Amino acid sequence: MRVEIRPSKAKGTVTAPPSKSMAHRLLICAGLSEGESVVRNLAYSEDVKATIACLQALGAAIRLDGDTAFVKGAHVTEPIGSSAVLPCNECGSTLRFFTPICMLSGEERTLRGSEYLMTRPMVVYEEIAVKQDIRFEKSADSITVQGKLKSGVYEVAGNISSQFISGLLFALPLLDGDSEIKILPPVESKPYIDMTVAALREFGIVIENAANTYKIKGNQRYAPTDVTVEGDCSNAAFFEALNYTGSNVTVEGLREDSLQGDRIYKILFEKIKNGDSPIDIADCPDLGPILFAVAAVCGGARFIGTRRLKIKESDRAVAMKQELSKLGISVDVGENEVTVHGGRLHAPTEPLDGHVDHRIVMALSVLLTVTGGVIEGAQAVNKSFPDFFDRLMDLGVELHYGMD
């Protein structure tokens, strides 16, 4: 999809979309419960649809009614007498959350996804599989596991991805014995682990946490419940960023007590505006693209804790460097830092590339409200925020989109 955005000022109030991160977690907990749960305030992005499809592949019965899902849980620890294929599509969270769950029954389970998704690191689970004699086979578009996960002590590096820890937290309570997860410092993206623990608590699962150790009793059962997905700080940040381009937008629908790490976006925007850097984004890497965009508008900034941007949907630091150069802004990318230099934005003389990455597309869209221009591959927003461009138009941004 190709979108053309004209220089324009956004004005008005926008309600934050439902949190994709919490939707994943609450849906999975519902899908592991013994009985029917209700999950409200869902937005059916491609990633959320992938998680729903994977739960269904494992035997969960899910009925959708508007923005509400009625979920009857699957018996994932019991053999069903056949293999199952889980369509993870492009979603790294879905792949990593479900891999340990697929190791609960002992039967063959295949997690299928795009070739790019399968290049994302899975070393934590590969090492567990080797130690526990669990089959773990990777192909260009799938991972197949077969064997039963064992309770015990798990040591996981804290600087790879919190998604591995969350995946284990979903699965380990259902095992017979007690388990521990010891996270080896430095621990990055801890707020995402906190979100997982909070979701588990909603469904009656008890996790004890002391320092960087999580203690998980075995033989627990997920209790069905009625939950509502909170607003998404990650995607709300794109609208708040418009205020740094001369627009006037109010964002509603976010919880003040949210555990989302990306809730810090307002503080970080102000630091950029005030020239307060370096800015550490190790705990909020998804904010990287929009932080770089705001820096491009506000005279530049230096960011640290950027190492994991290279293992997202794109190499986000490199992608933003390439696209910001088309807008007249130079960027230096190091191993664990990014510097966005000051400069004057100008309209691009060629289309911008979305890099098959929803957050790159949305960050560039904010900048094009200043300069005008075209983004190719804009359909990437469907991964997390299908109505993003409609929301922009509702705020008065002049744009047109259609197929490339």
Side-chain angles (χ1 to χ4, degrees):
M1 186 175 79
R2 178 185 178 99
V3 62
E4 179 180 0
I5 300 176
R6 297 174 182 171
S8 45
K9 304 295 185 186
K11 184 178 181 180
T13 300
V14 63
T15 300
S19 167
K20 179 170 70 77
S21 294
M22 280 308 295
H24 284 307
R25 289 162 169 78
L26 295 175
L27 284 166
I28 290 172
C29 289
L32 299 178
S33 297
E34 298 181 353
E36 185 174 84
S37 297
V38 182
V39 183
R40 305 180 188 275
N41 193 35
L42 288 168
Y44 300 111
S45 64
E46 293 301 318
D47 282 3
V48 169
K49 287 192 284 188
T51 285
I52 290 172
C54 287
L55 288 170
Q56 291 171 323
L58 291 175
I62 301 177
R63 178 173 62 86
L64 304 179
D65 184 2
D67 67 355
T68 301
F70 298 85
V71 184
K72 187 175 182 181
H75 300 289
V76 294
T77 60
E78 299 176 8
I80 59 176
S82 63
S83 60
V85 177
L86 285 70
C88 300
N89 301 333
E90 297 274 356
C91 187
S93 299
T94 300
L95 175 67
R96 289 172 175 163
F97 290 166
F98 277 92
T99 299
I101 295 170
C102 286
M103 297 176 179
L104 291 174
S105 70
E107 293 184 312
E108 181 180 281
R109 300 285 181 262
T110 297
L111 302 108
R112 195 173 299 282
S114 69
E115 290 190 11
Y116 179 79
L117 177 63
M118 292 302 157
T119 67
R120 297 177 73 172
M122 292 292 285
V123 63
V124 172
Y125 296 148
E126 291 178 90
E127 291 177 352
I128 290 171
V130 169
K131 290 178 182 178
Q132 299 193 10
D133 197 26
I134 295 172
R135 176 184 165 206
F136 190 101
E137 295 181 0
K138 293 184 71 173
S139 73
D141 66 351
S142 69
I143 293 173
T144 298
V145 298
Q146 187 172 18
K148 296 199 72 168
L149 195 66
K150 299 178 179 65
S151 56
V153 177
Y154 291 80
E155 290 190 346
V156 181
N159 63 350
I160 299 179
S161 173
S162 64
Q163 293 168 354
F164 294 115
I165 298 158
S166 290
L168 290 169
L169 286 170
F170 287 126
L172 294 177
L174 296 174
L175 299 180
D176 289 336
D178 298 345
S179 298
E180 287 187 9
I181 302 174
K182 294 183 177 180
I183 307 176
L184 306 178
V187 181
E188 298 179 358
S189 294
K190 186 177 181 297
Y192 288 98
I193 304 172
D194 295 339
M195 290 169 65
T196 301
V197 172
L200 290 165
R201 188 180 300 118
E202 291 270 12
F203 287 81
I205 299 296
V206 177
I207 307 289
E208 296 180 11
N209 172 225
N212 292 327
T213 298
Y214 292 82
K215 295 184 178 182
I216 305 108
K217 288 287 186 183
N219 292 305
Q220 297 192 61
R221 295 292 179 265
Y222 286 78
T225 189
D226 189 322
V227 290
T228 299
V229 179
E230 66 177 278
D232 192 325
C233 296
S234 305
N235 283 341
F238 295 101
F239 295 105
E240 192 76 42
L242 290 165
N243 292 321
Y244 294 81
T245 69
S247 292
N248 184 10
V249 176
T250 300
V251 180
E252 296 182 338
L254 296 175
R255 285 176 52 170
E256 291 186 3
D257 63 345
S258 174
L259 296 174
Q260 296 175 59
D262 290 353
R263 69 187 182 280
I264 199 172
Y265 70 81
K266 287 186 179 182
I267 294 173
L268 299 188
F269 287 169
E270 284 298 299
K271 284 188 173 185
I272 294 170
K273 180 182 176 182
N274 296 328
D276 183 6
S277 65
I279 295 169
D280 191 345
I281 64 170
D283 279 341
C284 54
D286 283 346
L287 290 178
I290 192 57
L291 290 171
F292 302 160
V294 171
V297 174
C298 294
R302 177 169 167 257
F303 302 88
I304 59 175
T306 62
R307 178 180 48 80
R308 284 191 299 118
L309 294 183
K310 67 181 63 175
I311 58 172
K312 295 292 184 176
E313 283 80 350
S314 68
D315 185 335
R316 285 178 171 164
V318 172
M320 286 299 290
K321 174 180 179 176
Q322 292 174 0
E323 302 315 309
L324 285 174
S325 70
K326 300 174 185 177
L327 294 162
I329 302 297
S330 63
V331 177
D332 294 332
V333 177
E335 178 60 30
N336 197 34
E337 66 177 76
V338 171
T339 299
V340 179
H341 294 285
R344 185 174 180 178
L345 288 170
H346 63 64
T349 58
E350 60 182 297
L352 303 183
D353 183 351
H355 292 264
V356 199
D357 190 325
H358 54 135
R359 300 198 190 281
I360 297 295
V361 172
M362 290 188 281
L364 296 177
S365 297
V366 170
L367 292 176
L368 291 190
T369 65
V370 178
T371 66
V374 170
I375 304 173
E376 293 181 341
Q379 70 276 5
V381 299
N382 293 332
K383 181 174 173 62
S384 67
F385 201 166
D387 61 343
F388 174 72
F389 292 116
D390 292 332
R391 298 278 198 108
L392 282 183
M393 287 192 291
D394 288 343
L395 291 169
V397 174
E398 298 180 37
L399 64 85
H400 171 76
Y401 58 88
M403 298 307 295
D404 292 338

